[in-house]
Amino acid sequence: MLVVTCPGCSLLCEDIELVLKTGAISQAKNLCRKGYGHFQSMFTERTEPTIDGQKVSMDEAIVSAAEILKGAKRPLLYGWSNSTLEAQKVGIELARKLNATIDDTSSFCQGILMERVLKGRVPTCALDDVRNFADTSVFWGADPSNSHPRILSRFAYYPRGEKRQKSYEEERTCIAVDVRRSATAKLCPNYYFRVPPGGDAEFIGALMAVLEGKIPKFGDKKRMIELGTVLRKTEYGVIFPGLGLIYSLQEKMGLLEALVARLNEIATFKVVPMVGHYNMRGFNQLLLDETGFINRVAFSDGKATHGPENSVIEASKSCDAALVIGSDPLSALPFKTAQRLAKVPLIAIDPRRSLTTDAAKVVIPSAMYGLEAGGSAIRMDGVKIEFEAMMESDLMSDEQILARIKEAI
Amino acid sequence: MEAVVSIVTFRDIFQYEAGKKGRYTPEYQDLSAQIILDKQDMAKLGLKDGGKVLVENDVGSIIVAAKASEDDPHPGLAFMTNSPWSNHLVRDDVCDTSIPGFKSIAAKVSPSGEDITKIGDLLERMKA
Amino acid sequence: MVSAMEIYTLLPKTPCKECGYASCMAFAVALLNREKKLEDCPPLLEPKYAEKYKKLKELLAPLEKASETGLIIHPEKCFGCGNCVVACPVNVAAEPTRCAVGLGPQGEKVILVVEDGVVKAQNIKECRRFGPNKVLCNACMVTCPSKAIEFV
């Protein structure tokens, strides 16, 4: 029986017990449906090294990748959030060496909020603090039951903690703010606040008014006042913004900052972004330490510049080669962006088949982290988690592949 | 007969699981090539639960199955899981923060007799 | 879960009392509590009630799967979130350093554990809904995001 860490989402649960047999999982304990699906995927649709759909050796694929990148004038290196810190570090070095543009999934995900968190503009805490101290958890534009299934049972609502021994029955409140009655909202029906899409700015405005003791001009007045009361009675509140809130506020993220600052005049309030991929935060932190920016960086003779033109969406319009690592942008990005990426010479580094590997010129198979390769990652709350390879594998890790490509350039 | 909707994408654990089995599996298609419509909107379009619809806008068009919503009424609002089908309709022209409108996809919905769009077709359109 | 009323509407409603109850409604309740079986109603077995008998059998089928405490799990609906594992008072008492604080159990005394991505029940006799001093504990049910756990 192996005790493993699950890289299925950014909770990075470390209490997973696996019994493996040849070619399958014999028994798995404590993995949620999402994590179980992730581990099961180790056994199907694995990639092989190919160039233009023809099977080649790893060496040939790596050399071909290096040639494509070396010969490109505006290479784009994208993905990163499903790689370890060690791999991401090599990736950033590679981008520097190539004078490439480097961007990760945070660019169209949690980036706007993560920047504020990493730069200290928004107070944050560890998930263990949530479990030990939080008496109010607010899931805003997020449905953790479907995206981070164990966050409620491990940290935010159901477990006992140092100051919350009576837990959800008496000492914790869970609030869901969403455009739909999600599975999570159904768990706290009395504290489900429905917001129209794009209405979060007004919702925040109404809440600010309530906190001033004024009558809100938006939403159900009685319920907004109720919400204000709950927040006023809170000792340690945690807001978990999901993509629903991020996409709604976008450049108006300052409104959330202001709300959190106001709430901190009443009690302790923290923000933990609902990061999806297991090491998105790790990449943002590394790139921030290296360049002062969390994403969307273009290197030129060692200097790093930042801007929307370096986002994968924009850069796809002008790049002449792309390296995609641990990500499937052809499935996840807008159609026209996917079209553009499908047309340039694409190098895909991935353990499994995806739309992106199907369109790639060069496919390089990689080891699956948590099982076939080890490393470290930063959990959604900033805690560093380390995990080891659980088995022998002939497959190279992202870190090793990138190092070989860098060497070959 | 058509309805104008704004599509919001969401996460579904079963669709995620199907995606992990493989992007080309029938399970992934079933759970992704789906649009959840308000019951009133479905009635206006004369649709039965599971009926096929054409969903189109300036970016592209797809044929998916329409499901009746079990949520509180939300006329004009539709829901799809995040997938190559939903992303086929997402615009890439963006505002300052360069985030596409993944959760505000404007589209027209109308009943259709055609087959549900396969993921292979979507890939072919990307390569075209 | 089917209600006593729904069962009652499908019974012969004679009331002949051959089942041992004063009214067909009482028999309906007894069916739900699994104190009686459909076959304990002789009129129901007559050909003219064949359709109703078939329908009743369908409605009562889930009860067959239920444990003695009346616990039914629908693994195909389960998210594997572990809310029930952490909320169950028996689990919490048995594993104060694990289930009580959000982790998966390590011992064997627990009732609910997430295995292969979904919840599994064991040691059902330890459940507080069982036995002479039973209470109507429903922690596992109210904490489930997908109605994967219910009681008859």
Side-chain angles (χ1 to χ4, degrees):
Chain A
M1 197 258 298
L2 309 163
V3 178
V4 305
T5 299
C6 174
C9 77
S10 207
L11 280 180
L12 285 164
C13 295
E14 298 170 279
D15 63 341
I16 310 303
E17 294 172 16
L18 277 188
V19 178
L20 293 170
K21 57 184 186 202
T22 327
I25 297 175
S26 178
Q27 192 197 55
K29 281 204 174 144
N30 310 325
L31 276 174
C32 69
R33 185 180 283 268
K34 209 175 154 171
Y36 189 63
H38 178 81
F39 277 104
Q40 287 275 56
S41 75
M42 180 171 78
F43 304 102
T44 58
E45 305 231 307
R46 298 301 297 265
T47 42
E48 285 183 322
T50 58
I51 298 176
D52 290 322
Q54 301 300 315
K55 182 145 188 259
V56 299
S57 70
M58 271 298 274
D59 283 336
E60 288 171 303
I62 287 175
V63 165
S64 175
E67 273 170 14
I68 292 172
L69 291 171
K70 202 160 56 167
K73 293 203 174 63
R74 290 170 306 279
L76 167 65
L77 308 187
Y78 168 77
W80 305 113
S81 44
N82 281 320
S83 299
T84 55
L85 291 169
E86 293 78 12
Q88 290 167 347
K89 224 186 197 124
V90 181
I92 295 172
E93 285 167 23
L94 181 63
R96 212 185 261 281
K97 193 169 179 181
L98 288 169
N99 285 328
T101 297
I102 185 164
D103 196 20
D104 77 308
T105 55
S106 71
S107 190
F108 54 90
C109 182
Q110 290 272 357
I112 308 178
L113 178 61
M114 185 56 78
E115 190 180 351
R116 285 168 159 81
V117 169
L118 294 183
K119 287 184 176 171
R121 284 165 57 178
V122 162
T124 189
C125 65
L127 286 172
D128 308 274
D129 296 330
V130 177
R131 181 176 72 74
N132 280 319
F133 308 125
D135 54 344
T136 301
S137 293
V138 185
F139 289 97
W140 199 322
D143 177 19
S145 301
N146 276 285
S147 64
H148 299 72
R150 291 184 78 194
I151 202 173
L152 293 173
S153 62
R154 287 193 62 200
F155 302 111
Y157 193 30
Y158 299 111
R160 285 117 213 106
E162 204 184 290
K163 289 229 161 84
R164 306 292 161 215
Q165 287 297 321
K166 298 205 189 121
S167 189
Y168 76 102
E169 286 175 297
E170 289 178 45
E171 286 179 328
R172 284 198 220 265
T173 303
C174 187
I175 298 171
V177 183
D178 211 324
V179 300
R180 52 189 273 268
R181 192 180 286 269
S182 65
T184 304
K186 288 180 188 161
L187 289 173
C188 47
N190 294 338
Y191 292 109
Y192 159 52
F193 294 88
R194 184 168 160 191
V195 181
D200 297 88
E202 286 173 290
F203 188 91
I204 291 176
L207 194 48
M208 291 287 257
V210 168
L211 293 172
E212 295 310 312
K214 302 199 185 111
I215 308 279
K217 290 202 171 71
F218 175 81
D220 183 325
K221 299 184 178 17
K222 192 157 160 256
R223 296 214 67 223
M224 289 305 289
I225 292 171
E226 240 180 81
L227 178 57
T229 308
V230 172
L231 294 175
R232 268 213 209 83
K233 288 196 180 139
T234 296
E235 281 177 15
Y236 192 112
V238 186
I239 298 176
F240 297 91
L243 292 184
L245 180 60
I246 309 295
Y247 289 168
S248 173
L249 289 181
Q250 292 213 33
E251 72 279 5
K252 289 184 276 186
M253 195 57 64
L255 292 174
L256 178 67
E257 248 186 88
L259 173 66
V260 175
R262 175 73 186 91
L263 287 169
N264 270 294
E265 289 170 12
I266 298 168
T268 307
F269 273 85
K270 307 287 189 187
V271 172
V272 177
M274 292 291 276
V275 175
H277 294 135
Y278 78 88
N279 200 17
M280 187 200 91
R281 183 162 175 162
F283 180 79
N284 296 145
Q285 187 67 67
L286 271 182
L287 195 63
L288 180 68
D289 292 341
E290 274 275 320
T291 66
F293 309 109
I294 63 157
N295 58 19
R296 302 178 177 180
V297 161
F299 284 107
S300 181
D301 292 326
K303 268 183 63 189
T305 52
H306 169 81
E309 68 278 8
N310 301 328
S311 77
V312 60
I313 308 282
E314 291 302 312
S316 70
K317 294 178 184 169
S318 57
C319 73
D320 55 352
L323 170 76
V324 177
I325 179 162
S327 194
D328 185 11
L330 263 59
S331 287
L333 292 183
F335 176 57
K336 291 220 169 72
T337 308
Q339 256 188 331
R340 292 187 191 106
L341 288 174
K343 294 221 173 59
V344 300
L346 219 170
I347 303 150
I349 301 175
D350 209 305
R352 300 184 77 244
R353 182 191 179 196
S354 68
L355 289 191
T356 302
T357 62
D358 280 350
K361 185 171 177 67
V362 179
V363 177
I364 302 176
S366 54
M368 275 191 69
Y369 281 113
L371 277 166
E372 298 164 341
S376 49
I378 307 272
R379 199 169 64 178
M380 59 197 281
D381 62 339
V383 170
K384 190 174 184 187
I385 306 279
E386 292 176 2
F387 45 88
E388 292 168 2
M390 284 293 139
M391 52 178 43
E392 296 289 323
S393 173
D394 292 330
L395 291 161
M396 292 168 67
S397 68
D398 288 353
E399 192 192 341
Q400 291 168 317
I401 294 168
L402 291 165
R404 288 280 310 274
I405 294 178
K406 194 167 135 239
E407 223 185 284
I409 290 180
Chain B
M1 183 95 65
E2 64 180 26
V4 173
V5 295
S6 181
I7 303 172
V8 177
T9 52
F10 67 102
R11 297 300 184 269
D12 180 86
I13 198 171
F14 297 99
Q15 185 240 10
Y16 172 94
E17 186 187 25
K20 280 285 158 179
K21 287 204 171 84
R23 296 259 188 239
Y24 290 86
T25 58
E27 296 99 304
Y28 187 63
Q29 176 174 301
D30 286 342
L31 293 170
S32 308
Q34 233 191 58
I35 186 166
I36 298 175
L37 294 170
D38 175 73
K39 284 199 172 97
Q40 273 186 335
D41 289 344
M42 287 205 45
K44 275 196 209 143
L45 292 168
L47 283 168
K48 281 203 171 64
D49 195 33
K52 287 176 286 185
V53 287
L54 169 69
V55 186
E56 60 180 343
N57 62 13
D58 294 339
V59 183
S61 67
I62 50 177
I63 310 281
V64 298
K67 290 263 150 141
S69 174
E70 288 166 13
D71 199 345
D72 314 319
H74 52 82
L77 210 58
F79 295 97
M80 291 183 75
T81 52
N82 183 40
S83 75
W85 283 266
S86 66
N87 288 318
H88 195 69
L89 302 170
V90 177
R91 299 175 63 152
D92 70 323
D93 47 347
V94 291
C95 66
D96 292 337
T97 48
S98 306
I99 298 187
F102 290 109
K103 286 183 189 264
S104 55
I105 306 168
K108 286 194 288 210
V109 180
S110 52
S112 168
E114 292 181 42
D115 291 334
I116 292 188
T117 310
K118 289 199 158 39
I119 199 171
D121 296 335
L122 294 174
L123 182 60
E124 285 313 303
R125 294 182 204 178
M126 288 176 209
K127 288 185 184 173
Chain C
M1 206 56 246
V2 66
S3 71
M5 199 60 203
E6 282 173 87
I7 295 176
Y8 174 73
T9 47
L10 291 165
L11 291 173
K13 300 189 272 293
T14 28
C16 57
K17 302 191 186 141
E18 290 189 47
C19 57
Y21 287 86
S23 70
C24 297
M25 190 50 155
F27 181 65
V29 173
L31 278 175
L32 265 185
N33 287 337
R34 290 174 296 164
E35 286 158 16
K36 284 284 173 194
K37 286 198 155 67
L38 280 174
E39 291 71 31
D40 290 324
C41 171
L44 187 58
L45 303 173
E46 288 163 28
K48 60 176 169 177
Y49 293 114
E51 260 216 59
K52 295 203 165 138
Y53 177 69
K54 190 163 155 248
K55 181 85 188 141
L56 277 166
K57 250 203 148 30
E58 263 176 47
L59 288 173
L60 292 169
L63 271 76
E64 314 247 330
K65 284 178 4 191
S67 63
E68 278 181 75
T69 53
L71 177 81
I72 301 181
I73 291 178
H74 304 287
E76 73 283 0
K77 290 187 184 173
C78 177
F79 286 17
C81 65
N83 292 352
C84 56
V85 172
V86 170
C88 171
V90 177
N91 273 31
V92 168
E95 304 248 345
T97 59
R98 302 284 304 184
C99 296
V101 293
L103 294 170
Q106 275 174 334
E108 293 303 316
K109 289 213 169 82
V110 292
I111 299 180
L112 297 166
V113 60
V114 175
E115 210 174 276
D116 299 340
V118 295
V119 69
K120 196 184 85 167
Q122 59 192 39
N123 300 330
I124 278 289
K125 285 199 168 54
E126 300 302 318
C127 173
R128 293 188 181 176
R129 294 173 72 98
F130 181 80
N133 300 319
K134 59 187 172 192
V135 292
L136 282 178
C137 177
N138 61 359
C140 57
M141 197 170 78
V142 301
T143 58
C144 178
S146 62
K147 297 212 170 80
I149 295 189
E150 55 176 353
F151 293 99
V152 302

